[in-house]
Amino acid sequence: MEHLETTDSRASSAESNILEDTLPVGALSLKGILFCWFTQQKIVGGKDGSSFVFCEGAKGRLQKYWLKGEKAGTSEVMAVLPGYPDNVRANERGEFWVAIHSRATIYSYINSKDPQLRLFLLKLPIPVKLRSLLHGGQLRAIIVKCSPEGKLLQILEDGEGKVVIAVSEVEERDGKLWMGSVLMPFIAVYQLE
């Protein structure tokens, strides 16, 4: 499927249409997997191996795809998030940490509903920091921890962006959260209690 390659970090609306037009109606899960692959989103397996989880960035939610059991071959919304997720990682307990690069705003909502407008705006020579401001106001960091069932367990936010901004990755290791961003020249570390 080389014709779907893109130089942008997000799949364009044309690529999304190709996915919808070339895959059978029941292949939502395959569409989701391919979308994650093309947009470089993480696919994270559940602790028991019965499912995997991935981000739906434009819709601001986590999606769960079932591999085993009664729901095998189906997907469902696992959690609706307070912004637009970039990536998800699982910790040793099977909980999920989600890096959210911006809060939901009217501007970002309109962009998520109109792929042609979004594509047009992405082609404009707007600096990344200004684009982030349009999408979520002040640059900030938002990290959410979800249970395996999708319940929001914890929300950490640097609301003023004094230490961390536009988090794109988060990983829990040895009682600490390690955070990265395409806008920060360093990795931030947060001590969990």
Side-chain angles (χ1 to χ4, degrees):
M1 300 185 89
E2 288 182 77
H3 64 283
L4 294 177
E5 272 186 37
T6 180
T7 56
D8 190 354
S9 64
R10 292 170 287 254
S12 72
S13 62
E15 290 162 345
S16 297
N17 289 339
I18 290 170
L19 289 176
E20 290 173 7
D21 294 341
T22 59
L23 296 173
V25 174
L28 174 64
S29 59
L30 183 54
K31 288 180 189 176
I33 294 168
L34 289 174
F35 181 78
C36 290
W37 184 62
F38 286 113
T39 60
Q40 301 173 1
Q41 296 286 320
K42 299 283 188 285
I43 297 176
V44 179
K47 189 173 182 176
D48 65 359
S50 66
S51 63
F52 65 81
V53 174
F54 60 94
C55 295
E56 282 189 292
K59 294 183 178 180
R61 59 191 190 182
L62 288 182
Q63 192 70 260
K64 181 183 275 191
Y65 177 78
W66 294 95
L67 298 168
K68 299 176 184 174
E70 290 178 6
K71 297 181 181 179
T74 65
S75 63
E76 64 188 26
V77 174
M78 182 176 152
V80 176
L81 303 165
Y84 299 103
D86 200 344
N87 281 300
V88 60
R89 299 269 184 154
N91 64 18
E92 293 175 352
R93 294 172 303 284
E95 300 160 331
F96 299 95
W97 284 103
V98 184
I100 297 177
H101 61 82
S102 66
R103 281 214 173 265
T105 64
I106 296 293
Y107 176 82
S108 54
Y109 175 78
I110 291 168
N111 271 292
S112 72
K113 296 296 180 188
D114 189 340
Q116 292 173 335
L117 175 63
R118 181 175 60 243
L119 186 59
F120 170 76
L121 293 172
L122 282 172
K123 290 182 179 181
L124 294 176
I126 300 172
V128 173
K129 287 189 179 186
L130 178 57
R131 191 178 307 275
S132 294
L133 289 172
L134 290 170
H135 276 283
Q138 183 174 351
L139 291 173
R140 64 185 75 209
I142 308 165
I143 300 166
V144 176
K145 182 164 99 174
C146 294
S147 72
E149 297 78 32
K151 180 180 176 188
L152 296 182
L153 301 174
Q154 189 174 10
I155 299 175
L156 301 173
E157 181 171 7
D158 182 353
E160 296 179 14
K162 289 184 177 181
V163 178
V164 184
I165 57 173
V167 176
S168 57
E169 286 284 346
V170 60
E171 174 98 21
E172 181 181 341
R173 289 276 188 238
D174 302 321
K176 297 177 184 173
L177 287 180
W178 299 77
M179 298 166 275
S181 168
V182 295
L183 300 180
M184 299 183 321
F186 59 89
I187 294 174
V189 181
Y190 177 79
Q191 181 69 48
L192 294 169
E193 297 182 59

